[in-house]
Amino acid sequence: MPKADAVRTMFSGIAGRYDKANLVLSGGIDRLWRRRLVKLVGRRNPQSLADLATGSGDVAFALRRGLGKNVKITGLDFCPPMLAEAEKKRDADNSLAGIDFRVGDCLSLPLADESVDVVTISFGLRNLEDRQRGLKEMRRVLRPGGALFVLEFTQPDRWFRPLYYFYLKNILPTLARWTTGNRDAYDYLAGSIEAFPTKESLAGEMKAAGFKTVQAEGLTFSITAIHTAEK
């Protein structure tokens, strides 16, 4: 598991260039993944939602646009420079007003027990120092019948893995250096993706954390997956 201080330092160093890097490195596909996440969350008709590891806020903003202004959205991240980027974007767009961004660690969430209908975390679960502890915290803050949505990289379809891992190890770090000036951060990204559990293994971890049911949907040859876990 990655060390929290190292992850915080890494994201602090690339905060101002994070959005540009995501667009270049994903070829824009990340927007389709967020769109699917919003659609699944919308089916739950939540009144309150916590977006964890919210980073520069793109998932929280997509949720606001997709779910409407009546849903209370709180974005939490343990990296203040990333939150500063999210706040700048929110404050520049009146349609995003009302999203509350706060400093918060997934391993000790500053939220009351059973206080939100939905928890989302996108590309952040992989970075937790203690994944099981984090999952239990997410379950703690969910109301009974609430749901956790995890959008995360996973192990791609077997036929696609050689191509994908070649890209991760040989192309992505170079592109990252051009866009962010920080190749090391994306060397870490490649390694953390390769070491992350399969969809089935992660579903098992979520059930071990106390979630009642877990469903997984692979996206784009299972480069990523959305896990939906019910409390």
Side-chain angles (χ1 to χ4, degrees):
M1 297 286 185
K3 296 297 183 183
D5 287 345
V7 172
R8 185 184 293 107
T9 299
M10 178 186 70
F11 280 105
S12 294
I14 63 173
R17 293 155 290 180
Y18 181 76
D19 289 342
K20 178 182 177 182
N22 277 354
L23 179 63
V24 171
L25 299 176
S26 73
I29 298 174
D30 59 322
R31 295 172 178 172
L32 299 178
W33 299 335
R34 287 195 296 273
R35 193 177 303 163
R36 181 59 181 164
L37 174 68
V38 171
K39 185 174 182 179
L40 292 175
V41 172
R43 292 175 180 174
R44 311 286 307 193
N45 295 312
Q47 297 302 303
S48 59
L49 182 152
D51 182 49
L52 310 184
T54 197
S56 62
D58 279 353
V59 172
F61 300 144
L63 288 163
R64 164 62 80 228
R65 294 183 178 109
L67 302 179
K69 64 181 181 180
N70 292 327
V71 179
K72 180 182 177 183
I73 297 177
T74 302
L76 297 164
D77 202 286
F78 78 162
C79 180
M82 291 293 285
L83 285 175
E85 294 297 317
E87 289 170 341
K88 281 195 292 187
K89 289 191 284 185
R90 177 200 61 196
D91 295 344
D93 187 340
N94 290 335
S95 71
L96 303 176
I99 299 177
D100 180 22
F101 288 111
R102 299 187 218 164
V103 174
D105 190 328
C106 290
L107 302 188
S108 183
L109 293 170
L111 299 172
D113 293 355
E114 301 183 354
S115 58
V116 295
D117 299 319
V118 162
V119 170
T120 58
I121 180 168
S122 300
F123 307 113
L125 190 66
R126 189 183 68 260
N127 298 322
L128 299 192
E129 190 168 318
D130 186 336
R131 195 159 55 239
Q132 191 65 198
R133 179 179 168 186
L135 288 168
K136 288 179 179 178
E137 267 292 275
M138 295 170 206
R139 185 180 182 278
R140 176 185 68 79
V141 303
L142 279 170
R143 295 190 176 106
L148 165 65
F149 293 85
V150 177
L151 171 58
E152 185 57 90
F153 292 110
T154 187
Q155 301 306 311
D157 295 341
R158 190 170 298 278
W159 70 268
F160 191 61
R161 288 181 193 178
L163 292 171
Y164 183 57
Y165 287 130
F166 179 84
Y167 169 75
L168 285 181
K169 295 177 180 179
N170 298 286
I171 298 175
L172 182 144
T174 300
L175 288 175
R177 178 171 56 82
W178 290 344
T179 54
T180 69
N182 188 333
R183 177 188 173 108
D184 291 344
Y186 289 86
D187 280 332
Y188 159 79
L189 173 65
S192 68
I193 292 172
E194 191 170 10
F196 200 68
T198 62
K199 294 188 292 294
E200 295 78 14
S201 294
L202 182 58
E205 290 185 18
M206 296 170 89
K207 289 179 180 178
F211 286 96
K212 183 172 61 175
T213 61
V214 182
Q215 295 179 321
E217 176 184 343
L219 305 172
T220 317
F221 312 128
S222 286
I223 289 174
T224 62
I226 297 176
H227 284 72
T228 305
E230 294 186 346
K231 180 173 178 178

